Amino acid sequence: MAIIKHDETPLPQGPAMKDMAEDLRPREKALRYGFGTLAKHELLAIIIGGGTVGESVLSLSQRILADNDNRFDVLIRKSVAELVKTYRGVGEAKAVAILAAANIGRIFGEELDNPREAQQMNSSEKVFSLMRHVVGNRNVEEFWIITLSRSLKVINLHRVSMGGVANTLVDKRVLFNYAVADLASAIILCHNHPSGAIKPSIEDRNLTRAIVEAGKLLDIQVLDHIIVGDNKYYSFKDEGDM
């Protein structure tokens, strides 16, 4: 049985960009008719820039999206190394550009849907709406705090730590340094579970209790701890754990 090397894998054929009508080329189409007329794969093709021998950039873009459920929020979970290894014609520079563009979209959505200064964090639903854009698509566990004014308006968001797939270490001194610097009256804790599960671990519960007690010494109230999973969340306050 012959072994097919990575660079010998049969690729779908597609018209080269130079052979396409000018109005159908993504860059020219965007300039003439606006970006709103472009499909997802056409936008991705502009980011990638060029295809390879035997596969046009449009075909490559369609294949990448098809492998990721045609969703940028799935694609954003991939690493640079995964993209380079999986797709011929996608080198490190192109992979970085793809993920940078996807992250710009994520941040834009966060800023558009959640203007921080206008938000009063008086419910777990509001906290989840804000933080799912921040930690919801992460491949590793991250621990964040939201610092709040006396009226529970958002002052700032701070990433306290970033760890592995299953855990992250949190230094309470670093955490409260952010809160004191912001002159926060209260804080909300938040971290993600890359597995998608939202049930808190024993470590999650012990850490929450320790932070609540430390906050009492500084007169900074810890209002809630939100665990973000796959489009769902766990609220320590709502579940009676605080």
Side-chain angles (χ1 to χ4, degrees), residues 3 7 9 19 38-40 44 49 70 80 82 85 91 107 136 138 176-177 189 195 199-200 203 225 229-230 235:
I3 297 175
D7 59 357
T9 303
D19 296 328
L38 301 187
K40 287 182 179 180
L44 185 57
N70 201 39
V80 168
E82 285 177 295
K85 180 180 179 181
I107 293 169
R138 295 292 194 261
F176 280 106
N177 257 348
L189 316 177
S195 67
K199 183 178 180 181
E203 291 79 10
H225 185 172
D230 284 336
S235 164

Side-chain angles (χ1 to χ4, degrees), residues 133-175:
H133 295 291
V134 179
V135 298
N137 291 311
R138 295 292 194 261
N139 291 320
V140 296
E141 194 165 300
E142 297 185 6
F143 196 100
W144 289 67
I145 65 167
I146 307 171
T147 56
L148 304 170
S149 67
R150 192 172 298 278
S151 59
L152 303 186
K153 294 288 183 67
V154 175
I155 299 173
N156 215 334
L157 307 182
H158 297 282
R159 184 172 65 187
V160 178
S161 67
M162 180 172 65
V165 173
N167 59 67
T168 182
L169 296 175
V170 178
D171 189 322
K172 294 187 291 296
R173 293 167 297 181
V174 173
L175 186 154

Side-chain angles (χ1 to χ4, degrees), residues 72-86:
F72 285 108
D73 63 340
V74 175
L75 176 59
I76 202 174
R77 294 173 180 263
K78 296 295 190 298
S79 67
V80 168
E82 285 177 295
L83 293 177
V84 171
K85 180 180 179 181
T86 306

Side-chain angles (χ1 to χ4, degrees), residues 230-241:
D230 284 336
N231 294 315
K232 55 189 175 182
Y233 70 94
Y234 183 97
S235 164
F236 276 67
K237 181 179 179 182
D238 290 353
E239 298 299 328
D241 291 336

